[in-house]
Amino acid sequence: MPKTVIAVDDSMSVRETVRMTLESVGYRVQTAEDGVRGLAVAQQQKADLIVTDLNMPNMDGIALIARLRALPQYRFTPILMLTTESQEDKKIAGRRAGATGWIVKPFDPARFIAVIQKVCPAV
Amino acid sequence: MSAPTSLQFGEIQRRSREIFRVEATDLLGELEAALLELESDPANPALINRVFRVMHTLKGSGATSGFQELSDFLHQVEDVFNAAREARLQINSPIIDLTLKITDAVTRYLAAAPADAAAVLEGSRGELSALLNYLPASGKKAGTAIAAPPPQTCLFRVRFQPRLDLFRNGNDPGIFLDDLRALGPCTVRGFADEIPPFAQLDPEACYLRWEIEVATASGEDAVRSVFCFVDGECDLEIARVETVEPPAAAIPAAAGTRPWFIEFQTTERTLASPGVLEALWRDLGRFGQVQVLSAPPAADSHTPPGVWRLRFETAADAETIASAFVFLLDAQPRVTLESFAAPGAIPAAATAPAAPAAPPTPKAAASAASRGSGETLRVSAERLDRLVNLVGELVILRSQVSNACAKATNLPDGLAGAAEALQSLSTEMRDLILNIRMMPIEQTFSKYRRMARDLARDLGKEVELVVEGGETEMDKTVLDALADPLMHLVRNSLDHGLEPAAEREAVGKPRCGKLRLRAEQRGDRVVVSVGDDGRGLDAERIRAKAVRQGLLAADARPTEDELFQLIFLPGFSTVEKVSQVSGRGVGLDVVRRQVDQLRGRVEVRSERGRGAEFRLSLPLTLAIIEGLLVEVDGERYVLPLGIARETVELKRGQRAASNGRNVVGLRGELVPYLHLRDLFLFTSRPPEVERIVIVEIEDQRLGLVVDRVIGNHQTVLKSLGWISRRVEVFSGATVLGDGRIALILDVPALLAHQRRQSGSHSGLSI
């Protein structure tokens, strides 16, 4: 059974890059364009890992992380935030909300896979 | 799990860039809209935030998709809006102006060929630095120097005690231990002494702590960064104990492992991806122990490109080892069992291929991208057009099948039913595909926001643009073709319609003029209008001008509406002064011609002093029309059913009696007609009784004389390409059920032709 990752980002190119990158190493990837949709997708089906952007319309990444952590099935699931270098305060807020770690944007595919493999090995 | 190859990453990056270009177009449009709104309300935090957010997405997505230079550029622009967000800076008109110009440059940058793109960005450096001058002094960041870590191998002692809630953040202490092992050989001791008695034990809490000794050449920062996800959320002590050389010498080999010799190289390209070497050590550390035999000589804080030699003890085989190098571009690893290897001379037979996975086929990549949730899917317009063409062919094929079935006397069982099913299926498919091509007009409208703003400023006028019915959908082809005439009309309104603020105030109007873009669907047509509350059309001046230009007889008494129609004639312009904006009277006739080509109508309504409104009535789609099939001299022609009103007979005697005037009496009104047989120079004798198809367009009626009317025909338009540019009276062609080709009559062009013919005597043929 491949591991399922939900990628939440309001940027289509980031979403698709995450999807293509992770699918190339055998993950199953669902995408969502904001926190509200991300939460809905996560509730439909238990994912093994969530990767979320922070700045998003409707529901931002911090709120999404907090909402996910409140769900029994996501208490221990790794959640990674996608941040930019300039978002130090957001990083702290995200961690307070329950994020496992972060990936700094922009990322190159190899690095990205390395971090993902670390918190959620593909097999 | 198969390891991805660098080829696969190349493909991912290529596709990412492609997606980003599309996405960026939307984002830039959104950015422009947000900036324009911000300009009218520059202190509104929600608007500042919106601009910032779009800029941020553009920057982040750009970098992720491989547009690093764009990202760096926008990062600086973003700083300005970040400062505004933090109330360290006030947004003003020049800032908006500069940012809009930069937005334009980004648009050009994305459209430019890769070789020229950098120059485009470089070209707007001036605007960028002007923009950055608005930043408060503290907002300009100074570069920070990074201290160089010592490159030699050291032993670190790490004490790690996570907080009780470690698991609740999705963390796993095992990961940290694995990461440390990847840095170098480790001795790990775990302590369970803080686990409470069972009754007080929280099974979800982490009570364990660890002491680890790790020997690594990566430096203290690398050790610390292992714990970066729990930085500040755990008790962590990292102390350098002593320098060990070489690191792995003391570590005994585990059972079943063999010593390997690995040689690989790094280039500038390899090292361009940050952290690739750290990732390599981690990957190798996962299945064995690494000892660095030789490395490129370290300079400053970073490792330069060069050749690495490693000793690696592992139970894994050569191929597995080589797979750890796939992320390193240009690495060219050579993996040899140590017993075979003389340092520096490696037998080729024992080398393992560095890229074991097959390169992906484009097909596989495409299916990977399209798989997934119920999101929208972007398809290139070109592919959609091909699909429309194919469906068009299908519709033609269907009528051929129906035709053949109708002619056949005894159909095989089931064929009639199948033909009927084909009919309904192809109709449904056609409707569906046409629906896919429908797009809201909003995007087209929003292009004019910026234009209206810039133009009004150039003209010294104030204008507010109001958009209504932006959600109205039209065929993409129609929308694209509409952009140009709409632009003319917007310019026309701004230039000729709206008065300068002072003039408006003098007549008791609000200083700021209103320009209204509106769209509304009515049946199978969409009415798009451009209206303003300016001075309106001056019927008297139009009249005087038309008479002077010989477009109107001096004693003619046309109605006001008829007078207004004159402004669409070629060469007509009431504005004597040549304006930079709408030019020398070219414009409205061009608008009329372009709208005609879309099978649309244009009309104008105006009230003196209160404003004017240009209304374009357009078909929903251009791809398929309901046509009326007619025949002249054995040839078939199609004319749009929507404009055909009725058909009347024309007997030979009548024709002779009309005395070459070519008009027919229709309920007391004389309607001019065109004899297609004559027009096409057919010399055969016409039938005794011909038919006149009366068409109505732009409230004018015209008869087209044909041999006979065959009936309704659903027509898939085919462009005539280069021919249609020379032949004025046909707008396209279609294939009939029997495989013959029928030309589609361009009725507006025929009408214009007729008008020119009769224009010489009446001056005005309305």
Side-chain angles (χ1 to χ4, degrees), chain B residues 66-99:
Chain B
F67 291 94
Q68 190 58 50
E69 55 188 356
L70 177 66
S71 175
D72 293 343
F73 189 87
L74 289 176
H75 180 75
Q76 304 185 59
V77 184
E78 186 197 76
D79 278 349
V80 172
F81 287 89
N82 194 38
R85 227 160 58 123
E86 292 165 0
R88 288 185 286 121
L89 177 154
Q90 277 205 321
I91 297 292
N92 56 25
S93 221
I95 290 183
I96 302 265
D97 223 40
L98 288 164
T99 314

Short mmCIF file of all heavy atoms in Angstrom, two decimals, chain B residues 66-99:
data_model
loop_
_atom_site.label_atom_id
_atom_site.label_comp_id
_atom_site.label_asym_id
_atom_site.label_seq_id
_atom_site.Cartn_x
_atom_site.Cartn_y
_atom_site.Cartn_z
N GLY B 66 11.56 26.77 -10.70
CA GLY B 66 12.82 26.97 -11.39
C GLY B 66 13.03 28.36 -11.97
O GLY B 66 13.89 28.56 -12.80
N PHE B 67 12.22 29.34 -11.52
CA PHE B 67 12.45 30.72 -11.96
C PHE B 67 13.10 31.49 -10.82
O PHE B 67 12.51 32.40 -10.24
CB PHE B 67 11.13 31.38 -12.36
CG PHE B 67 10.52 30.83 -13.61
CD1 PHE B 67 9.56 29.83 -13.55
CD2 PHE B 67 10.89 31.31 -14.85
CE1 PHE B 67 9.00 29.31 -14.70
CE2 PHE B 67 10.33 30.81 -16.00
CZ PHE B 67 9.38 29.80 -15.93
N GLN B 68 14.31 31.08 -10.49
CA GLN B 68 14.96 31.66 -9.31
C GLN B 68 15.18 33.16 -9.47
O GLN B 68 14.95 33.93 -8.54
CB GLN B 68 16.28 30.93 -9.03
CG GLN B 68 16.91 31.28 -7.70
CD GLN B 68 15.99 30.99 -6.53
OE1 GLN B 68 15.43 29.90 -6.41
NE2 GLN B 68 15.80 31.97 -5.65
N GLU B 69 15.62 33.58 -10.65
CA GLU B 69 15.93 35.00 -10.80
C GLU B 69 14.68 35.85 -10.64
O GLU B 69 14.72 36.94 -10.07
CB GLU B 69 16.60 35.28 -12.16
CG GLU B 69 15.79 34.77 -13.33
CD GLU B 69 16.54 34.88 -14.67
OE1 GLU B 69 17.65 35.40 -14.67
OE2 GLU B 69 15.98 34.43 -15.67
N LEU B 70 13.55 35.33 -11.11
CA LEU B 70 12.29 36.04 -10.95
C LEU B 70 11.94 36.12 -9.48
O LEU B 70 11.52 37.17 -8.97
CB LEU B 70 11.18 35.31 -11.71
CG LEU B 70 9.79 35.91 -11.56
CD1 LEU B 70 9.74 37.28 -12.19
CD2 LEU B 70 8.74 35.01 -12.16
N SER B 71 12.14 35.00 -8.79
CA SER B 71 11.82 34.94 -7.38
C SER B 71 12.65 35.95 -6.59
O SER B 71 12.14 36.68 -5.75
CB SER B 71 12.06 33.52 -6.88
OG SER B 71 11.86 33.47 -5.51
N ASP B 72 13.94 36.01 -6.89
CA ASP B 72 14.82 36.95 -6.19
C ASP B 72 14.37 38.38 -6.44
O ASP B 72 14.37 39.22 -5.54
CB ASP B 72 16.27 36.79 -6.69
CG ASP B 72 16.84 35.44 -6.28
OD1 ASP B 72 16.25 34.81 -5.38
OD2 ASP B 72 17.85 35.02 -6.87
N PHE B 73 13.99 38.62 -7.67
CA PHE B 73 13.54 39.96 -8.06
C PHE B 73 12.28 40.34 -7.28
O PHE B 73 12.20 41.40 -6.67
CB PHE B 73 13.27 39.94 -9.57
CG PHE B 73 13.00 41.28 -10.16
CD1 PHE B 73 14.04 42.08 -10.61
CD2 PHE B 73 11.71 41.74 -10.30
CE1 PHE B 73 13.79 43.31 -11.17
CE2 PHE B 73 11.45 42.97 -10.86
CZ PHE B 73 12.49 43.76 -11.29
N LEU B 74 11.32 39.43 -7.28
CA LEU B 74 10.04 39.73 -6.64
C LEU B 74 10.18 39.80 -5.13
O LEU B 74 9.42 40.48 -4.45
CB LEU B 74 9.00 38.67 -7.02
CG LEU B 74 8.53 38.74 -8.46
CD1 LEU B 74 7.59 37.59 -8.76
CD2 LEU B 74 7.82 40.07 -8.72
N HIS B 75 11.17 39.07 -4.63
CA HIS B 75 11.40 39.09 -3.19
C HIS B 75 11.60 40.52 -2.71
O HIS B 75 11.08 40.93 -1.69
CB HIS B 75 12.62 38.23 -2.86
CG HIS B 75 12.92 38.18 -1.41
ND1 HIS B 75 12.17 37.43 -0.53
CD2 HIS B 75 13.84 38.83 -0.66
CE1 HIS B 75 12.64 37.59 0.69
NE2 HIS B 75 13.66 38.44 0.64
N GLN B 76 12.32 41.29 -3.50
CA GLN B 76 12.60 42.67 -3.11
C GLN B 76 11.35 43.53 -3.22
O GLN B 76 11.12 44.41 -2.39
CB GLN B 76 13.71 43.23 -4.00
CG GLN B 76 14.95 42.35 -3.92
CD GLN B 76 16.10 42.95 -4.69
OE1 GLN B 76 16.53 44.05 -4.41
NE2 GLN B 76 16.60 42.22 -5.66
N VAL B 77 10.54 43.26 -4.24
CA VAL B 77 9.29 44.01 -4.37
C VAL B 77 8.39 43.68 -3.18
O VAL B 77 7.75 44.55 -2.59
CB VAL B 77 8.57 43.66 -5.69
CG1 VAL B 77 7.33 44.50 -5.85
CG2 VAL B 77 9.50 43.85 -6.87
N GLU B 78 8.39 42.42 -2.83
CA GLU B 78 7.57 41.96 -1.72
C GLU B 78 7.96 42.67 -0.43
O GLU B 78 7.10 43.00 0.39
CB GLU B 78 7.75 40.44 -1.57
CG GLU B 78 6.86 39.80 -0.55
CD GLU B 78 7.37 38.44 -0.18
OE1 GLU B 78 8.35 38.34 0.59
OE2 GLU B 78 6.81 37.46 -0.66
N ASP B 79 9.26 42.92 -0.25
CA ASP B 79 9.73 43.63 0.94
C ASP B 79 8.97 44.94 1.15
O ASP B 79 8.62 45.30 2.27
CB ASP B 79 11.23 43.96 0.80
CG ASP B 79 12.10 42.77 1.19
OD1 ASP B 79 11.53 41.81 1.75
OD2 ASP B 79 13.31 42.80 0.92
N VAL B 80 8.73 45.63 0.03
CA VAL B 80 8.05 46.92 0.12
C VAL B 80 6.64 46.73 0.67
O VAL B 80 6.20 47.45 1.57
CB VAL B 80 8.00 47.59 -1.27
CG1 VAL B 80 7.12 48.83 -1.24
CG2 VAL B 80 9.41 47.92 -1.72
N PHE B 81 5.95 45.71 0.15
CA PHE B 81 4.57 45.51 0.60
C PHE B 81 4.52 44.89 1.99
O PHE B 81 3.57 45.09 2.74
CB PHE B 81 3.79 44.71 -0.43
CG PHE B 81 3.48 45.53 -1.63
CD1 PHE B 81 4.37 45.59 -2.69
CD2 PHE B 81 2.34 46.32 -1.67
CE1 PHE B 81 4.11 46.40 -3.78
CE2 PHE B 81 2.08 47.13 -2.75
CZ PHE B 81 2.97 47.17 -3.82
N ASN B 82 5.58 44.17 2.32
CA ASN B 82 5.66 43.65 3.68
C ASN B 82 5.82 44.82 4.66
O ASN B 82 5.18 44.85 5.70
CB ASN B 82 6.84 42.68 3.79
CG ASN B 82 6.76 41.86 5.05
OD1 ASN B 82 5.66 41.46 5.47
ND2 ASN B 82 7.88 41.65 5.70
N ALA B 83 6.63 45.78 4.26
CA ALA B 83 6.81 46.97 5.10
C ALA B 83 5.48 47.70 5.25
O ALA B 83 5.14 48.19 6.33
CB ALA B 83 7.87 47.89 4.50
N ALA B 84 4.70 47.75 4.18
CA ALA B 84 3.39 48.40 4.24
C ALA B 84 2.46 47.63 5.17
O ALA B 84 1.68 48.19 5.92
CB ALA B 84 2.79 48.49 2.84
N ARG B 85 2.58 46.31 5.10
CA ARG B 85 1.76 45.44 5.95
C ARG B 85 2.06 45.70 7.42
O ARG B 85 1.19 45.63 8.27
CB ARG B 85 2.11 43.99 5.63
CG ARG B 85 0.93 43.10 5.42
CD ARG B 85 1.32 41.87 4.65
NE ARG B 85 2.36 41.10 5.30
CZ ARG B 85 2.23 39.82 5.65
NH1 ARG B 85 1.10 39.21 5.43
NH2 ARG B 85 3.22 39.17 6.19
N GLU B 86 3.34 45.95 7.67
CA GLU B 86 3.75 46.18 9.06
C GLU B 86 3.70 47.66 9.40
O GLU B 86 4.28 48.09 10.39
CB GLU B 86 5.17 45.62 9.26
CG GLU B 86 5.19 44.11 9.18
CD GLU B 86 6.60 43.55 9.01
OE1 GLU B 86 7.56 44.36 8.95
OE2 GLU B 86 6.72 42.32 8.94
N ALA B 87 3.03 48.44 8.55
CA ALA B 87 2.81 49.86 8.77
C ALA B 87 4.13 50.63 8.90
O ALA B 87 4.21 51.65 9.57
CB ALA B 87 1.93 50.09 10.00
N ARG B 88 5.17 50.14 8.28
CA ARG B 88 6.44 50.87 8.30
C ARG B 88 6.54 51.77 7.07
O ARG B 88 7.50 52.50 6.91
CB ARG B 88 7.62 49.89 8.29
CG ARG B 88 7.80 49.16 9.61
CD ARG B 88 9.04 48.30 9.62
NE ARG B 88 8.89 47.10 8.81
CZ ARG B 88 9.67 46.81 7.78
NH1 ARG B 88 10.63 47.62 7.41
NH2 ARG B 88 9.47 45.68 7.10
N LEU B 89 5.56 51.69 6.21
CA LEU B 89 5.62 52.41 4.94
C LEU B 89 4.18 52.68 4.50
O LEU B 89 3.29 51.87 4.77
CB LEU B 89 6.33 51.52 3.95
CG LEU B 89 6.53 51.87 2.49
CD1 LEU B 89 7.75 51.15 1.99
CD2 LEU B 89 5.35 51.46 1.63
N GLN B 90 3.99 53.83 3.86
CA GLN B 90 2.65 54.12 3.36
C GLN B 90 2.61 53.97 1.85
O GLN B 90 3.45 54.52 1.15
CB GLN B 90 2.26 55.54 3.75
CG GLN B 90 1.73 55.60 5.18
CD GLN B 90 0.83 56.78 5.37
OE1 GLN B 90 1.09 57.85 4.85
NE2 GLN B 90 -0.23 56.58 6.12
N ILE B 91 1.62 53.24 1.40
CA ILE B 91 1.47 53.05 -0.05
C ILE B 91 1.01 54.36 -0.67
O ILE B 91 0.13 55.02 -0.15
CB ILE B 91 0.44 51.94 -0.33
CG1 ILE B 91 0.91 50.61 0.23
CG2 ILE B 91 0.14 51.82 -1.81
CD1 ILE B 91 2.12 50.03 -0.47
N ASN B 92 1.62 54.73 -1.78
CA ASN B 92 1.17 55.91 -2.50
C ASN B 92 1.12 55.60 -3.99
O ASN B 92 1.48 54.52 -4.43
CB ASN B 92 2.09 57.10 -2.21
CG ASN B 92 3.53 56.77 -2.54
OD1 ASN B 92 3.80 55.90 -3.37
ND2 ASN B 92 4.46 57.44 -1.91
N SER B 93 0.66 56.58 -4.72
CA SER B 93 0.46 56.38 -6.16
C SER B 93 1.75 55.98 -6.90
O SER B 93 1.73 55.06 -7.71
CB SER B 93 -0.15 57.63 -6.76
OG SER B 93 -1.12 57.27 -7.68
N PRO B 94 2.89 56.66 -6.64
CA PRO B 94 4.11 56.24 -7.35
C PRO B 94 4.49 54.79 -7.06
O PRO B 94 4.97 54.08 -7.96
CB PRO B 94 5.18 57.19 -6.80
CG PRO B 94 4.45 58.37 -6.28
CD PRO B 94 3.10 57.89 -5.85
N ILE B 95 4.27 54.33 -5.85
CA ILE B 95 4.60 52.93 -5.53
C ILE B 95 3.75 52.00 -6.38
O ILE B 95 4.23 51.03 -6.98
CB ILE B 95 4.38 52.64 -4.02
CG1 ILE B 95 5.44 53.36 -3.19
CG2 ILE B 95 4.43 51.13 -3.75
CD1 ILE B 95 5.37 53.10 -1.71
N ILE B 96 2.45 52.31 -6.44
CA ILE B 96 1.54 51.48 -7.25
C ILE B 96 2.00 51.50 -8.71
O ILE B 96 2.07 50.47 -9.38
CB ILE B 96 0.10 52.02 -7.17
CG1 ILE B 96 -0.36 52.04 -5.73
CG2 ILE B 96 -0.83 51.24 -8.08
CD1 ILE B 96 -1.12 50.86 -5.28
N ASP B 97 2.33 52.70 -9.17
CA ASP B 97 2.74 52.87 -10.55
C ASP B 97 3.97 52.02 -10.88
O ASP B 97 4.00 51.29 -11.88
CB ASP B 97 3.07 54.35 -10.77
CG ASP B 97 2.52 54.83 -12.08
OD1 ASP B 97 1.39 54.43 -12.40
OD2 ASP B 97 3.24 55.56 -12.77
N LEU B 98 4.98 52.11 -10.01
CA LEU B 98 6.21 51.34 -10.23
C LEU B 98 5.91 49.84 -10.18
O LEU B 98 6.41 49.06 -11.00
CB LEU B 98 7.24 51.69 -9.15
CG LEU B 98 7.87 53.09 -9.29
CD1 LEU B 98 8.55 53.49 -8.00
CD2 LEU B 98 8.86 53.11 -10.45
N THR B 99 5.08 49.45 -9.24
CA THR B 99 4.77 48.03 -9.11
C THR B 99 4.01 47.53 -10.34
O THR B 99 4.25 46.42 -10.82
CB THR B 99 3.96 47.77 -7.83
OG1 THR B 99 4.57 48.47 -6.76
CG2 THR B 99 3.93 46.29 -7.51
#
